[in-house]
Structures are given as structure tokens and as C-alpha cells.
Short mmCIF file of all heavy atoms in Angstrom, two decimals:
data_model
loop_
_atom_site.label_atom_id
_atom_site.label_comp_id
_atom_site.label_asym_id
_atom_site.label_seq_id
_atom_site.Cartn_x
_atom_site.Cartn_y
_atom_site.Cartn_z
N MET A 1 -12.15 4.32 -12.29
CA MET A 1 -12.82 3.59 -11.22
C MET A 1 -13.98 4.40 -10.67
O MET A 1 -14.06 5.60 -10.89
CB MET A 1 -11.84 3.30 -10.08
CG MET A 1 -11.35 4.54 -9.34
SD MET A 1 -10.30 4.20 -7.90
CE MET A 1 -11.56 3.83 -6.64
N LYS A 2 -14.86 3.71 -9.97
CA LYS A 2 -15.95 4.40 -9.29
C LYS A 2 -15.57 4.62 -7.84
O LYS A 2 -15.02 3.72 -7.20
CB LYS A 2 -17.22 3.55 -9.36
CG LYS A 2 -18.01 3.71 -10.64
CD LYS A 2 -19.45 3.28 -10.41
CE LYS A 2 -20.35 3.76 -11.52
NZ LYS A 2 -20.48 2.80 -12.61
N CYS A 3 -15.85 5.80 -7.33
CA CYS A 3 -15.58 6.08 -5.93
C CYS A 3 -16.45 5.16 -5.07
O CYS A 3 -17.66 5.05 -5.29
CB CYS A 3 -15.92 7.53 -5.63
SG CYS A 3 -15.91 7.90 -3.87
N PRO A 4 -15.85 4.48 -4.09
CA PRO A 4 -16.62 3.57 -3.23
C PRO A 4 -17.57 4.31 -2.29
O PRO A 4 -18.49 3.72 -1.73
CB PRO A 4 -15.54 2.83 -2.43
CG PRO A 4 -14.35 3.71 -2.49
CD PRO A 4 -14.42 4.47 -3.78
N LYS A 5 -17.37 5.62 -2.12
CA LYS A 5 -18.22 6.38 -1.21
C LYS A 5 -19.40 7.03 -1.93
O LYS A 5 -20.54 6.85 -1.54
CB LYS A 5 -17.40 7.47 -0.51
CG LYS A 5 -16.24 6.93 0.32
CD LYS A 5 -16.71 6.44 1.69
CE LYS A 5 -15.58 6.33 2.70
NZ LYS A 5 -14.65 5.26 2.53
N CYS A 6 -19.11 7.78 -3.00
CA CYS A 6 -20.20 8.50 -3.68
C CYS A 6 -20.61 7.83 -4.99
O CYS A 6 -21.57 8.24 -5.63
CB CYS A 6 -19.81 9.96 -3.94
SG CYS A 6 -18.50 10.18 -5.16
N ASN A 7 -19.86 6.80 -5.38
CA ASN A 7 -20.19 6.00 -6.56
C ASN A 7 -20.07 6.74 -7.89
O ASN A 7 -20.60 6.29 -8.89
CB ASN A 7 -21.59 5.39 -6.41
CG ASN A 7 -21.67 4.02 -7.02
OD1 ASN A 7 -20.69 3.28 -7.03
ND2 ASN A 7 -22.82 3.66 -7.56
N LYS A 8 -19.39 7.87 -7.89
CA LYS A 8 -19.17 8.58 -9.15
C LYS A 8 -17.91 8.06 -9.83
O LYS A 8 -16.98 7.61 -9.17
CB LYS A 8 -19.03 10.08 -8.88
CG LYS A 8 -20.35 10.74 -8.57
CD LYS A 8 -20.19 12.24 -8.47
CE LYS A 8 -21.54 12.89 -8.20
NZ LYS A 8 -21.47 14.00 -7.26
N GLU A 9 -17.91 8.11 -11.15
CA GLU A 9 -16.73 7.70 -11.91
C GLU A 9 -15.65 8.77 -11.76
O GLU A 9 -15.90 9.94 -12.03
CB GLU A 9 -17.13 7.53 -13.38
CG GLU A 9 -16.06 6.90 -14.25
CD GLU A 9 -15.80 5.42 -13.91
OE1 GLU A 9 -16.75 4.71 -13.59
OE2 GLU A 9 -14.63 5.02 -13.99
N ILE A 10 -14.46 8.36 -11.32
CA ILE A 10 -13.39 9.34 -11.16
C ILE A 10 -12.14 8.90 -11.92
O ILE A 10 -11.82 7.72 -11.99
CB ILE A 10 -13.03 9.58 -9.67
CG1 ILE A 10 -12.79 8.26 -8.93
CG2 ILE A 10 -14.11 10.39 -8.96
CD1 ILE A 10 -12.28 8.43 -7.51
N GLY A 11 -11.46 9.88 -12.51
CA GLY A 11 -10.26 9.59 -13.29
C GLY A 11 -8.99 10.01 -12.58
O GLY A 11 -7.89 9.70 -12.99
N HIS A 12 -9.18 10.77 -11.49
CA HIS A 12 -8.01 11.17 -10.70
C HIS A 12 -8.41 11.31 -9.24
O HIS A 12 -9.59 11.36 -8.91
CB HIS A 12 -7.42 12.47 -11.24
CG HIS A 12 -8.25 13.69 -10.93
ND1 HIS A 12 -9.31 14.08 -11.71
CD2 HIS A 12 -8.17 14.57 -9.91
CE1 HIS A 12 -9.85 15.18 -11.18
NE2 HIS A 12 -9.18 15.50 -10.08
N VAL A 13 -7.40 11.35 -8.38
CA VAL A 13 -7.63 11.53 -6.95
C VAL A 13 -6.77 12.68 -6.44
O VAL A 13 -5.75 13.02 -7.05
CB VAL A 13 -7.28 10.25 -6.16
CG1 VAL A 13 -8.33 9.18 -6.38
CG2 VAL A 13 -5.89 9.72 -6.52
N ASP A 14 -7.19 13.29 -5.36
CA ASP A 14 -6.41 14.34 -4.72
C ASP A 14 -5.57 13.72 -3.60
O ASP A 14 -6.10 13.04 -2.73
CB ASP A 14 -7.34 15.41 -4.13
CG ASP A 14 -8.12 16.14 -5.22
OD1 ASP A 14 -7.59 16.28 -6.33
OD2 ASP A 14 -9.26 16.56 -4.94
N ILE A 15 -4.27 13.97 -3.66
CA ILE A 15 -3.36 13.33 -2.71
C ILE A 15 -2.72 14.37 -1.80
O ILE A 15 -2.23 15.39 -2.27
CB ILE A 15 -2.24 12.58 -3.46
CG1 ILE A 15 -2.84 11.52 -4.39
CG2 ILE A 15 -1.27 11.93 -2.47
CD1 ILE A 15 -1.85 10.95 -5.37
N GLU A 16 -2.78 14.10 -0.50
CA GLU A 16 -2.08 14.95 0.47
C GLU A 16 -0.90 14.16 1.00
O GLU A 16 -1.04 13.00 1.38
CB GLU A 16 -3.00 15.31 1.64
CG GLU A 16 -4.23 16.10 1.26
CD GLU A 16 -3.92 17.53 0.83
OE1 GLU A 16 -2.95 18.10 1.36
OE2 GLU A 16 -4.62 18.04 -0.04
N SER A 17 0.26 14.79 1.04
CA SER A 17 1.42 14.09 1.60
C SER A 17 1.94 14.85 2.81
O SER A 17 1.44 15.92 3.16
CB SER A 17 2.51 13.90 0.56
OG SER A 17 3.06 15.14 0.20
N ASP A 18 2.93 14.28 3.47
CA ASP A 18 3.29 14.77 4.80
C ASP A 18 3.95 16.14 4.83
O ASP A 18 3.96 16.79 5.86
CB ASP A 18 4.10 13.75 5.58
CG ASP A 18 5.34 13.32 4.82
OD1 ASP A 18 5.50 13.76 3.68
OD2 ASP A 18 6.13 12.56 5.37
N TYR A 19 4.51 16.63 3.76
CA TYR A 19 5.09 17.97 3.79
C TYR A 19 4.04 19.05 3.60
O TYR A 19 4.35 20.21 3.42
CB TYR A 19 6.15 18.14 2.69
CG TYR A 19 7.37 17.30 2.88
CD1 TYR A 19 7.71 16.34 1.94
CD2 TYR A 19 8.17 17.46 4.00
CE1 TYR A 19 8.84 15.55 2.12
CE2 TYR A 19 9.28 16.67 4.18
CZ TYR A 19 9.62 15.73 3.24
OH TYR A 19 10.72 14.95 3.42
N GLY A 20 2.78 18.65 3.60
CA GLY A 20 1.72 19.61 3.36
C GLY A 20 1.54 19.90 1.88
O GLY A 20 0.83 20.82 1.50
N SER A 21 2.20 19.12 1.07
CA SER A 21 2.06 19.32 -0.36
C SER A 21 0.86 18.52 -0.86
O SER A 21 0.46 17.53 -0.26
CB SER A 21 3.32 18.87 -1.09
OG SER A 21 3.52 17.49 -0.91
N SER A 22 0.28 19.00 -1.93
CA SER A 22 -0.80 18.24 -2.51
C SER A 22 -0.51 17.97 -3.97
O SER A 22 0.21 18.70 -4.62
CB SER A 22 -2.13 18.97 -2.33
OG SER A 22 -2.03 20.29 -2.79
N SER A 23 -1.08 16.91 -4.45
CA SER A 23 -0.85 16.54 -5.83
C SER A 23 -2.07 15.80 -6.34
O SER A 23 -2.99 15.47 -5.61
CB SER A 23 0.39 15.66 -5.95
OG SER A 23 0.27 14.54 -5.13
N VAL A 24 -2.04 15.59 -7.64
CA VAL A 24 -3.12 14.87 -8.28
C VAL A 24 -2.56 13.54 -8.77
O VAL A 24 -1.46 13.49 -9.31
CB VAL A 24 -3.68 15.70 -9.46
CG1 VAL A 24 -4.65 14.88 -10.30
CG2 VAL A 24 -4.38 16.94 -8.94
N GLY A 25 -3.29 12.48 -8.54
CA GLY A 25 -2.88 11.17 -9.04
C GLY A 25 -3.87 10.71 -10.09
O GLY A 25 -5.06 10.67 -9.84
N TYR A 26 -3.34 10.39 -11.25
CA TYR A 26 -4.22 9.93 -12.33
C TYR A 26 -4.36 8.42 -12.27
O TYR A 26 -3.40 7.69 -12.06
CB TYR A 26 -3.67 10.37 -13.68
CG TYR A 26 -3.72 11.88 -13.82
CD1 TYR A 26 -2.60 12.66 -13.57
CD2 TYR A 26 -4.92 12.50 -14.15
CE1 TYR A 26 -2.67 14.04 -13.65
CE2 TYR A 26 -5.00 13.87 -14.24
CZ TYR A 26 -3.87 14.65 -13.99
OH TYR A 26 -3.94 16.00 -14.06
N LEU A 27 -5.57 7.97 -12.46
CA LEU A 27 -5.90 6.57 -12.26
C LEU A 27 -6.03 5.79 -13.55
O LEU A 27 -6.50 6.29 -14.57
CB LEU A 27 -7.23 6.46 -11.51
CG LEU A 27 -7.28 7.05 -10.10
CD1 LEU A 27 -8.74 7.15 -9.66
CD2 LEU A 27 -6.50 6.19 -9.14
N LYS A 28 -5.58 4.54 -13.46
CA LYS A 28 -5.92 3.56 -14.49
C LYS A 28 -6.53 2.41 -13.71
O LYS A 28 -5.84 1.74 -12.94
CB LYS A 28 -4.66 3.13 -15.24
CG LYS A 28 -4.95 2.34 -16.48
CD LYS A 28 -3.68 2.13 -17.29
CE LYS A 28 -4.04 1.64 -18.69
NZ LYS A 28 -2.85 1.47 -19.52
N GLY A 29 -7.82 2.20 -13.87
CA GLY A 29 -8.51 1.30 -12.95
C GLY A 29 -8.45 1.92 -11.57
O GLY A 29 -8.78 3.08 -11.41
N ASN A 30 -8.01 1.14 -10.59
CA ASN A 30 -7.89 1.72 -9.25
C ASN A 30 -6.42 1.94 -8.87
O ASN A 30 -6.08 2.09 -7.72
CB ASN A 30 -8.57 0.81 -8.22
CG ASN A 30 -7.82 -0.50 -8.00
OD1 ASN A 30 -7.09 -0.95 -8.87
ND2 ASN A 30 -8.00 -1.09 -6.85
N LYS A 31 -5.56 1.99 -9.88
CA LYS A 31 -4.14 2.16 -9.62
C LYS A 31 -3.70 3.56 -10.08
O LYS A 31 -4.08 4.01 -11.16
CB LYS A 31 -3.36 1.09 -10.39
CG LYS A 31 -1.91 0.96 -9.97
CD LYS A 31 -1.31 -0.25 -10.69
CE LYS A 31 0.19 -0.33 -10.48
NZ LYS A 31 0.58 -0.40 -9.07
N ILE A 32 -2.89 4.20 -9.24
CA ILE A 32 -2.37 5.51 -9.62
C ILE A 32 -1.18 5.32 -10.55
O ILE A 32 -0.20 4.69 -10.19
CB ILE A 32 -1.95 6.31 -8.37
CG1 ILE A 32 -3.17 6.56 -7.47
CG2 ILE A 32 -1.33 7.65 -8.79
CD1 ILE A 32 -2.81 7.17 -6.13
N VAL A 33 -1.30 5.84 -11.75
CA VAL A 33 -0.25 5.63 -12.74
C VAL A 33 0.61 6.87 -12.96
O VAL A 33 1.70 6.80 -13.51
CB VAL A 33 -0.83 5.17 -14.10
CG1 VAL A 33 -1.37 3.75 -13.98
CG2 VAL A 33 -1.91 6.11 -14.60
N GLU A 34 0.11 8.03 -12.54
CA GLU A 34 0.88 9.24 -12.76
C GLU A 34 0.56 10.27 -11.68
O GLU A 34 -0.59 10.40 -11.26
CB GLU A 34 0.53 9.83 -14.14
CG GLU A 34 1.57 10.79 -14.68
CD GLU A 34 1.13 11.39 -16.02
OE1 GLU A 34 0.41 10.70 -16.77
OE2 GLU A 34 1.50 12.54 -16.26
N TYR A 35 1.60 10.97 -11.23
CA TYR A 35 1.42 12.00 -10.21
C TYR A 35 1.72 13.37 -10.80
O TYR A 35 2.62 13.51 -11.62
CB TYR A 35 2.38 11.79 -9.04
CG TYR A 35 2.12 10.54 -8.25
CD1 TYR A 35 2.78 9.36 -8.54
CD2 TYR A 35 1.22 10.56 -7.18
CE1 TYR A 35 2.56 8.21 -7.80
CE2 TYR A 35 1.00 9.42 -6.44
CZ TYR A 35 1.66 8.25 -6.75
OH TYR A 35 1.44 7.11 -6.02
N GLU A 36 0.97 14.34 -10.36
CA GLU A 36 1.25 15.71 -10.78
C GLU A 36 1.20 16.61 -9.55
O GLU A 36 0.18 16.69 -8.88
CB GLU A 36 0.21 16.16 -11.81
CG GLU A 36 0.47 17.54 -12.36
CD GLU A 36 -0.67 17.97 -13.29
OE1 GLU A 36 -1.01 17.19 -14.21
OE2 GLU A 36 -1.23 19.04 -13.07
N MET A 37 2.33 17.23 -9.25
CA MET A 37 2.40 18.12 -8.10
C MET A 37 1.55 19.37 -8.34
O MET A 37 1.60 19.96 -9.40
CB MET A 37 3.83 18.54 -7.83
CG MET A 37 4.63 17.48 -7.12
SD MET A 37 4.07 17.27 -5.41
CE MET A 37 5.13 15.91 -4.92
N VAL A 38 0.81 19.75 -7.34
CA VAL A 38 -0.02 20.94 -7.46
C VAL A 38 0.60 22.10 -6.69
O VAL A 38 0.74 23.20 -7.19
CB VAL A 38 -1.45 20.68 -6.95
CG1 VAL A 38 -2.27 21.96 -6.96
CG2 VAL A 38 -2.12 19.62 -7.80
N GLU A 39 0.97 21.83 -5.46
CA GLU A 39 1.61 22.89 -4.66
C GLU A 39 2.49 22.28 -3.59
O GLU A 39 2.33 21.13 -3.21
CB GLU A 39 0.56 23.79 -4.03
CG GLU A 39 -0.43 23.06 -3.15
CD GLU A 39 -1.53 23.98 -2.66
OE1 GLU A 39 -1.87 24.92 -3.39
OE2 GLU A 39 -2.03 23.76 -1.55
N GLY A 40 3.46 23.06 -3.13
CA GLY A 40 4.32 22.61 -2.05
C GLY A 40 5.24 21.47 -2.43
O GLY A 40 5.61 20.67 -1.58
N ALA A 41 5.60 21.42 -3.68
CA ALA A 41 6.43 20.31 -4.14
C ALA A 41 7.80 20.30 -3.45
O ALA A 41 8.45 21.33 -3.33
CB ALA A 41 6.63 20.40 -5.65
N VAL A 42 8.20 19.15 -2.98
CA VAL A 42 9.53 18.97 -2.41
C VAL A 42 10.18 17.81 -3.14
O VAL A 42 9.85 16.66 -2.90
CB VAL A 42 9.47 18.66 -0.89
CG1 VAL A 42 10.87 18.53 -0.32
CG2 VAL A 42 8.69 19.75 -0.16
N GLY A 43 11.06 18.10 -4.02
CA GLY A 43 11.65 17.04 -4.83
C GLY A 43 10.62 16.43 -5.74
O GLY A 43 9.53 16.98 -5.91
N ASP A 44 10.91 15.31 -6.30
CA ASP A 44 9.94 14.71 -7.22
C ASP A 44 9.22 13.52 -6.60
O ASP A 44 8.40 12.89 -7.20
CB ASP A 44 10.57 14.32 -8.55
CG ASP A 44 11.93 13.68 -8.38
OD1 ASP A 44 12.54 13.89 -7.32
OD2 ASP A 44 12.36 12.99 -9.29
N GLU A 45 9.56 13.21 -5.35
CA GLU A 45 8.88 12.10 -4.72
C GLU A 45 8.44 12.51 -3.32
O GLU A 45 9.14 13.22 -2.63
CB GLU A 45 9.82 10.92 -4.61
CG GLU A 45 9.09 9.61 -4.58
CD GLU A 45 9.83 8.55 -5.39
OE1 GLU A 45 10.67 8.91 -6.20
OE2 GLU A 45 9.53 7.40 -5.17
N PHE A 46 7.28 12.06 -2.90
CA PHE A 46 6.92 12.37 -1.53
C PHE A 46 7.31 11.23 -0.63
O PHE A 46 7.40 10.10 -1.03
CB PHE A 46 5.46 12.66 -1.30
CG PHE A 46 4.50 12.38 -2.40
CD1 PHE A 46 4.67 11.36 -3.31
CD2 PHE A 46 3.36 13.16 -2.50
CE1 PHE A 46 3.75 11.12 -4.29
CE2 PHE A 46 2.45 12.91 -3.48
CZ PHE A 46 2.64 11.90 -4.38
N SER A 47 7.56 11.57 0.62
CA SER A 47 7.99 10.52 1.54
C SER A 47 6.80 9.71 2.03
O SER A 47 6.86 8.51 2.15
CB SER A 47 8.76 11.10 2.70
OG SER A 47 8.04 12.15 3.28
N GLU A 48 5.71 10.37 2.32
CA GLU A 48 4.57 9.60 2.80
C GLU A 48 3.25 10.23 2.40
O GLU A 48 3.03 11.42 2.59
CB GLU A 48 4.61 9.45 4.32
CG GLU A 48 3.76 8.30 4.79
CD GLU A 48 3.93 8.03 6.29
OE1 GLU A 48 4.95 8.43 6.84
OE2 GLU A 48 3.03 7.43 6.86
N ILE A 49 2.38 9.40 1.91
CA ILE A 49 1.04 9.86 1.55
C ILE A 49 0.15 9.80 2.78
O ILE A 49 0.11 8.79 3.48
CB ILE A 49 0.45 8.98 0.43
CG1 ILE A 49 1.22 9.23 -0.87
CG2 ILE A 49 -1.03 9.26 0.23
CD1 ILE A 49 0.86 8.27 -1.99
N ILE A 50 -0.52 10.89 3.08
CA ILE A 50 -1.39 10.93 4.25
C ILE A 50 -2.82 10.56 3.87
O ILE A 50 -3.47 9.76 4.53
CB ILE A 50 -1.34 12.32 4.91
CG1 ILE A 50 0.01 12.51 5.57
CG2 ILE A 50 -2.48 12.48 5.92
CD1 ILE A 50 0.23 13.87 6.17
N SER A 51 -3.29 11.14 2.80
CA SER A 51 -4.64 10.78 2.39
C SER A 51 -4.80 10.85 0.88
O SER A 51 -4.10 11.59 0.20
CB SER A 51 -5.68 11.69 3.07
OG SER A 51 -5.60 13.00 2.53
N ILE A 52 -5.70 10.03 0.40
CA ILE A 52 -6.06 10.04 -1.01
C ILE A 52 -7.55 10.28 -1.07
O ILE A 52 -8.33 9.48 -0.54
CB ILE A 52 -5.70 8.70 -1.68
CG1 ILE A 52 -4.18 8.47 -1.60
CG2 ILE A 52 -6.18 8.67 -3.12
CD1 ILE A 52 -3.73 7.14 -2.17
N GLU A 53 -7.93 11.41 -1.67
CA GLU A 53 -9.34 11.79 -1.62
C GLU A 53 -10.00 11.78 -2.99
O GLU A 53 -9.40 12.12 -4.00
CB GLU A 53 -9.46 13.20 -1.03
CG GLU A 53 -9.06 13.28 0.43
CD GLU A 53 -9.10 14.71 0.95
OE1 GLU A 53 -9.40 15.63 0.17
OE2 GLU A 53 -8.81 14.89 2.14
N CYS A 54 -11.26 11.44 -2.96
CA CYS A 54 -12.10 11.54 -4.14
C CYS A 54 -12.33 13.02 -4.46
O CYS A 54 -12.67 13.79 -3.57
CB CYS A 54 -13.43 10.86 -3.85
SG CYS A 54 -14.69 11.17 -5.10
N PRO A 55 -12.13 13.44 -5.71
CA PRO A 55 -12.33 14.84 -6.06
C PRO A 55 -13.80 15.25 -6.04
O PRO A 55 -14.13 16.43 -5.99
CB PRO A 55 -11.76 14.94 -7.49
CG PRO A 55 -11.83 13.56 -8.03
CD PRO A 55 -11.66 12.64 -6.86
N GLU A 56 -14.70 14.30 -6.05
CA GLU A 56 -16.13 14.61 -6.06
C GLU A 56 -16.70 14.80 -4.66
O GLU A 56 -17.43 15.74 -4.40
CB GLU A 56 -16.91 13.48 -6.76
CG GLU A 56 -16.58 13.29 -8.23
CD GLU A 56 -17.12 14.42 -9.10
OE1 GLU A 56 -18.05 15.13 -8.67
OE2 GLU A 56 -16.59 14.59 -10.22
N CYS A 57 -16.36 13.91 -3.75
CA CYS A 57 -16.97 13.97 -2.42
C CYS A 57 -15.95 14.23 -1.30
O CYS A 57 -16.33 14.34 -0.15
CB CYS A 57 -17.76 12.69 -2.13
SG CYS A 57 -16.74 11.20 -1.99
N SER A 58 -14.65 14.30 -1.67
CA SER A 58 -13.58 14.59 -0.70
C SER A 58 -13.43 13.56 0.41
O SER A 58 -12.84 13.84 1.44
CB SER A 58 -13.77 15.99 -0.08
OG SER A 58 -13.69 16.96 -1.09
N LYS A 59 -13.96 12.37 0.21
CA LYS A 59 -13.77 11.32 1.20
C LYS A 59 -12.42 10.65 0.97
O LYS A 59 -11.96 10.55 -0.16
CB LYS A 59 -14.87 10.24 1.07
CG LYS A 59 -16.25 10.74 1.38
CD LYS A 59 -16.48 10.86 2.88
CE LYS A 59 -17.95 11.12 3.16
NZ LYS A 59 -18.19 11.91 4.35
N ASP A 60 -11.80 10.21 2.06
CA ASP A 60 -10.55 9.48 1.96
C ASP A 60 -10.84 8.08 1.42
O ASP A 60 -11.53 7.29 2.05
CB ASP A 60 -9.90 9.40 3.34
CG ASP A 60 -8.47 8.89 3.26
OD1 ASP A 60 -8.17 8.09 2.34
OD2 ASP A 60 -7.66 9.27 4.12
N ILE A 61 -10.30 7.79 0.25
CA ILE A 61 -10.54 6.49 -0.36
C ILE A 61 -9.23 5.71 -0.55
O ILE A 61 -9.11 4.88 -1.43
CB ILE A 61 -11.29 6.61 -1.71
CG1 ILE A 61 -10.56 7.57 -2.66
CG2 ILE A 61 -12.73 7.09 -1.50
CD1 ILE A 61 -11.07 7.51 -4.10
N SER A 62 -8.25 6.03 0.31
CA SER A 62 -6.92 5.43 0.14
C SER A 62 -6.96 3.89 0.23
O SER A 62 -6.11 3.22 -0.34
CB SER A 62 -5.93 6.00 1.14
OG SER A 62 -6.46 5.95 2.44
N ASP A 63 -7.93 3.33 0.93
CA ASP A 63 -8.02 1.88 1.03
C ASP A 63 -8.41 1.23 -0.29
O ASP A 63 -8.18 0.05 -0.52
CB ASP A 63 -9.08 1.48 2.09
CG ASP A 63 -8.62 1.85 3.49
OD1 ASP A 63 -7.43 2.15 3.66
OD2 ASP A 63 -9.46 1.82 4.40
N SER A 64 -9.01 2.02 -1.18
CA SER A 64 -9.52 1.46 -2.43
C SER A 64 -8.60 1.71 -3.61
O SER A 64 -8.85 1.23 -4.70
CB SER A 64 -10.89 2.05 -2.75
OG SER A 64 -11.71 2.01 -1.61
N VAL A 65 -7.54 2.48 -3.38
CA VAL A 65 -6.66 2.88 -4.47
C VAL A 65 -5.29 2.25 -4.28
O VAL A 65 -4.76 2.21 -3.19
CB VAL A 65 -6.53 4.43 -4.51
CG1 VAL A 65 -5.52 4.86 -5.55
CG2 VAL A 65 -7.87 5.06 -4.80
N GLU A 66 -4.74 1.74 -5.37
CA GLU A 66 -3.37 1.20 -5.32
C GLU A 66 -2.37 2.31 -5.59
O GLU A 66 -2.48 3.01 -6.59
CB GLU A 66 -3.20 0.12 -6.39
CG GLU A 66 -3.55 -1.27 -5.93
CD GLU A 66 -3.20 -2.27 -7.02
OE1 GLU A 66 -2.00 -2.51 -7.21
OE2 GLU A 66 -4.12 -2.76 -7.68
N LYS A 67 -1.39 2.42 -4.67
CA LYS A 67 -0.41 3.49 -4.84
C LYS A 67 0.74 3.05 -5.73
O LYS A 67 1.09 1.92 -5.77
CB LYS A 67 0.14 3.92 -3.49
CG LYS A 67 -0.92 4.62 -2.66
CD LYS A 67 -0.58 4.52 -1.17
CE LYS A 67 -1.85 4.38 -0.35
NZ LYS A 67 -1.99 3.24 0.44
ZN1 ZN B 101 -16.50 10.14 -4.06
#
């Protein structure tokens, strides 16, 4: 998908969740199809996603991405 803010083609997003953990979400279209924990992993599922950011411009684009 193209980032709605900076208009660059992105294949993954940076995800912050409530335990302070971050992960990478890989995209197919605008849908996240796979998650990869980067740091602070707590179990294999996060309870709540706080923000989904474009890796290019770091803007929160959670409204444009399907979780
Ligand atoms: Zn962007």
C-alpha cells in the first residue's frame, strides 16, 4: 500500500502496543497479515495496539490499515 501521509510505497508498518513492546506488521494491500515482535515481547499476542506507524515518515496511519 501507499502511505496516506507521505505517499511512499510501504510493505510493513511499525506497531506499538500497550506493554511498550514494538513489532513489525507485514502488509498485503492495507491489511496486516503477519506480525513480528521486535522487542519487549509479552506472549505471542498483544492486548492492545496503540499506534501503527509508517516506517518512512513515522506518522500514525492506523486509520488506513486493517488489523
Ligand atoms: Zn509515510
Side-chain angles (χ1 to χ4, degrees):
M1 66 175 278
K2 276 202 165 90
C3 170
K5 300 279 199 287
C6 68
N7 215 32
K8 285 186 178 141
E9 189 68 36
I10 50 174
H12 73 276
V13 287
D14 295 329
I15 301 167
E16 298 291 328
S17 67
D18 56 355
Y19 293 118
S21 63
S22 51
S23 56
V24 170
Y26 293 98
L27 297 167
K28 191 171 194 178
N30 70 335
K31 193 173 172 57
I32 298 172
V33 290
E34 199 183 329
Y35 294 93
E36 184 185 308
M37 281 290 176
V38 175
E39 58 186 31
V42 182
D44 42 339
E45 206 141 343
F46 10 32
S47 50
E48 200 173 339
I49 291 171
I50 289 176
S51 70
I52 298 177
E53 293 176 358
C54 168
E56 296 289 339
C57 66
S58 298
K59 295 282 190 210
D60 191 329
I61 54 168
S62 50
D63 291 347
S64 312
V65 175
E66 271 186 73
K67 292 156 215 120

